[in-house]
Every structure is written in C-alpha cells, then in structure tokens.
C-alpha cells in the first residue's frame, strides 16, 4: 500500500516543488509516498493519509485541488488530511497566514482536515504569462519566498503523526 499521497495544484511549478520536498521528508520517516498533480488523482482509498496543497491565485485555490476535495470528501473524511497553500510573496511573506477560501474551508470542515498551513510562494517574472500575471510578479513581490526549513519542519511533524496514527 502507498501510505501517503502528496497532491498539489499550481500553475508555474512552485507548489509542485513544495510537494516534492514534503514527499522527500516523509520518505525520510520511512513512509512510502506518491506525489501527484491534483488533476491526476482519481481516488484516495489506497492511501492511509493525504497531504494536499494549492497555489493561491486571486485568493482562490486552483480548481483541480477543490475538485479533489469535492469528489473524494467521503473517503478523505475517513483518513488524516493535511492542507497547505502557497502564495504570499514580498515583504512579510514569511509570517503571512492566509485563511482558506470560503468554499475550501467548508470542505476542510466536512473532512475534518488538520489546520491549514500557509507557505510563501515564488513569483518569477520570466514565468508570468499575461499582463496581469506580469504586473503581479513585478517589483518587490518578485522572488522566491518559500521557506524550505519551515516546509521541512511541517512535513516532519506530519511524518511523525502518520507513523503514530496509521498502522503500516
Ligand atoms: C496572477 C497572480 C495572482 C496571484 N494571486 C495571489 C493571491 O491571491 N494570494 C497569494 O497569496 N498569492 C497570489 N499569487 C502568488 C502565487 O500564489 C505564487 O506565485 C505561487 O508560488 C504560485 O505557485 P505555482 O508556481 O505553483 O503556480 C498570485 C500570483 C499571480 C501571478
């Protein structure tokens, strides 16, 4: 059995890289882990625990992450689920805490997910497509604000909890 699913949703790879680091830490805890784009997840029954993260765009989660929660709500309610989102960039990104968008908050409550973690994001002007994205990615907010130590510490805590809660 694959013990843990780490699913991610984003547009320019920043959230996928966070998911990959989380998976690496979980593997260090002796867990078997599968990393998937949220759009590729058809079912979660085979996993004992799930970590799901989305990039924030205009205060929303990516639709494929929301769909994963909607379509698998019943199965997710029966397993430990950890949620994170990545987005804040610029000064203050490291300490920013973003609330879940309303629809996602309802789904999180329905599946009794653990408290959501906020991680800084990455805004790369070279990757921004479209006028708005280029505008958002310019100036002080441009750069990589993902705090790998915090991400690793969060993942390590999950690793310990999964080892306690899930018989493998
Ligand atoms: C057009 C646009 C809108 C964004 N809106 C938000 C937002 O509402 N809240 C936030 O915290 N970050 C926002 N961001 C920052 C992204 O969430 C951040 O760049 C993230 O790391 C992107 O992840 P990805 O590479 O996985 O797509 C926005 C970025 C762009 C380009």
């Amino acid at each position: 059995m694959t013990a843990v699913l780490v699913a991610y949703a984003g547009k320019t790879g920043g959230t996928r890289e966070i998911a990959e680091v989380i998976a690496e830490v979980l593997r260090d805890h002796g867990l078997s882990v599968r990393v998937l784009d949220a759009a590729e997840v058809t079912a979660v029954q085979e996993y004992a625990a799930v970590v799901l993260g989305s990039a924030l765009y205009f205060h929303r989660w990516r639709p494929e992450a929301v769909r994963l929660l909607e379509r698998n709500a019943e199965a997710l309610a029966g397993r430990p689920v950890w949620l994170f989102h990545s987005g804040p960039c610029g000064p203050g990104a490291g300490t920013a805490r973003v609330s879940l968008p309303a629809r996602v908050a309802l789904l999180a409550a329905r599946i009794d997910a653990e408290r959501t973690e906020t991680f800084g994001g990455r805004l790369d002007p070279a990757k921004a497509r479209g006028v708005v994205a280029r505008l958002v990615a310019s100036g002080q907010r441009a750069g990589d604000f993902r705090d790998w130590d915090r991400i690793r510490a969060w993942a390590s805590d999950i690793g310990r909890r999964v080892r306690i809660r899930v018989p493998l």
Side-chain angles (χ1 to χ4, degrees), residues 60-97:
R60 292 182 177 200
W61 271 36
R62 298 289 302 148
E64 56 275 27
V66 180
R67 273 197 295 274
L68 192 162
L69 288 174
E70 280 169 350
R71 291 182 182 164
N72 299 283
E74 202 177 318
L76 289 169
R79 8 180 87 61
V81 177
W82 284 268
L83 305 176
F84 72 90
H85 43 211
S86 168
C89 293
T95 50
R97 288 280 173 282

Side-chain angles (χ1 to χ4, degrees), residues 9-16 55-60 86-89 98 120-123 132-133 136-137 141:
K11 284 167 86 169
T12 58
T15 312
R16 174 175 45 75
L56 286 160
Y57 280 90
F58 301 112
H59 310 290
R60 292 182 177 200
S86 168
C89 293
V98 179
R122 177 189 62 185
L123 272 172
V132 179
V136 172
R141 296 187 65 203

Side-chain angles (χ1 to χ4, degrees), residues 5-166:
L5 169 67
V6 181
Y8 62 87
K11 284 167 86 169
T12 58
T15 312
R16 174 175 45 75
E17 288 170 8
I18 293 175
E20 281 163 359
V21 167
I22 291 169
E24 190 184 293
V25 172
L26 294 177
R27 288 188 186 112
D28 287 345
H29 281 259
L31 298 163
S32 65
V33 184
R34 183 175 292 164
V35 183
L36 285 177
D37 187 314
E40 294 171 11
V41 178
T42 49
V44 298
Q45 274 82 355
E46 68 182 285
Y47 307 104
V50 175
V51 180
L52 171 65
S54 176
L56 286 160
Y57 280 90
F58 301 112
H59 310 290
R60 292 182 177 200
W61 271 36
R62 298 289 302 148
E64 56 275 27
V66 180
R67 273 197 295 274
L68 192 162
L69 288 174
E70 280 169 350
R71 291 182 182 164
N72 299 283
E74 202 177 318
L76 289 169
R79 8 180 87 61
V81 177
W82 284 268
L83 305 176
F84 72 90
H85 43 211
S86 168
C89 293
T95 50
R97 288 280 173 282
V98 179
S99 309
L100 282 174
R103 173 96 196 105
V104 183
L106 274 175
L107 290 162
R110 194 190 297 168
I111 63 172
D112 197 21
E114 303 288 331
R115 199 171 66 93
T116 306
E117 191 61 90
T118 303
F119 295 124
R122 177 189 62 185
L123 272 172
D124 181 352
K127 285 193 163 69
R129 288 198 199 93
V131 179
V132 179
R134 273 201 293 279
L135 204 65
V136 172
S138 63
Q140 273 196 314
R141 296 187 65 203
D144 191 346
F145 299 91
R146 295 167 298 172
D147 180 338
W148 298 110
D149 287 344
R150 252 191 68 219
I151 292 164
R152 285 177 184 280
W154 187 70
S156 196
D157 191 48
I158 293 174
R160 277 191 293 275
R161 285 166 195 265
V162 172
R163 291 304 299 254
I164 292 165
R165 287 168 67 167
V166 179

